[in-house]
């Protein structure tokens, strides 16, 4: 086999492998934590408890658990003092964080901002974050949704 044929035979599998790598790293995958509807992983309902006696005790504190980010936005142990949304940005699944100074959520990857109720403030994300239900009994918060 001559050199040109040998290189030609090698280039097809190499190009195919590169294309597969690029599509997996540059776009959403089927296993991405967020889907286009903004409903999280789709693995079913989430339900867990948080001990408010030892966790997220100060205004501005946040906690990530079970794919949910919970933020204390006001003092007092009432449901209205907290926000709970999916932690995966609906754009590409990057974990968002709480921005205390703006009182919203920010995706560090491309700058999408979300309100405390999960709605999109600015993109590139176009779908809202899933909002979770909050119930409080004594010092136990239950997140469900």
């Amino acid at each position: 086999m001559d050199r040109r044929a040998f290189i030609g035979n090698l280039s097809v599998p190499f190009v195919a492998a590169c294309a597969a790598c690029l599509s997996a790293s540059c776009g959403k995958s089927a296993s991405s934590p967020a889907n286009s509807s903004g409903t999280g992983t789709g693995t079913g309902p989430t339900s867990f408890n948080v001990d408010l006696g030892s966790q997220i005790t100060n205004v501005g504190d946040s906690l990530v658990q079970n794919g949910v980010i919970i933020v204390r936005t006001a003092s007092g142990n009432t449901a209205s003092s907290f926000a709970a949304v999916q932690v995966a940005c609906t754009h590409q699944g990057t974990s968002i964080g709480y921005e205390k100074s703006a009182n919203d959520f920010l995706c560090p990857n491309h700058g999408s901002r979300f309100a405390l109720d999960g709605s999109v403030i600015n993109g590139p994300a176009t779908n809202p974050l899933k909002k979770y239900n909050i119930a409080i009994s004594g010092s136990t918060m239950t997140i469900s949704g």
Side-chain angles (χ1 to χ4, degrees):
M1 173 181 309
D2 71 353
R3 184 175 64 196
R4 181 171 287 163
F6 178 75
I7 291 173
N9 287 341
L10 283 180
S11 65
V12 172
F14 180 74
V15 169
C18 287
C21 290
L22 286 173
S23 68
S25 65
C26 294
K28 288 185 191 178
S29 68
S31 62
S32 176
N35 63 31
S36 62
S37 66
T39 57
T41 61
T43 58
T46 297
S47 182
F48 60 93
N49 294 328
V50 175
D51 178 7
L52 296 176
S54 62
Q55 297 175 298
I56 48 180
T57 56
N58 301 307
V59 174
D61 286 354
S62 63
L63 170 73
V64 175
Q65 188 172 329
N66 295 22
V68 179
I69 184 169
I70 308 147
V71 176
R72 180 183 283 272
T73 59
S75 59
N77 285 354
T78 63
S80 63
S81 296
F82 297 90
V85 297
Q86 75 183 60
V87 74
C89 179
T90 57
H91 177 236
Q92 289 188 335
T94 303
S95 292
I96 61 168
Y98 175 66
E99 293 287 310
K100 185 177 179 180
S101 62
N103 199 34
D104 65 10
F105 298 104
L106 173 67
C107 177
N109 203 24
H110 295 110
S112 292
R113 285 196 174 273
F114 301 89
L116 296 177
D117 66 358
S119 61
V120 177
I121 295 172
N122 65 283
T126 57
N127 295 310
L129 300 169
K130 178 178 179 176
K131 183 179 177 183
Y132 289 85
N133 299 315
I134 300 170
I136 298 177
S137 177
S139 64
T140 301
M141 175 193 303
T142 301
I143 303 295
S144 62

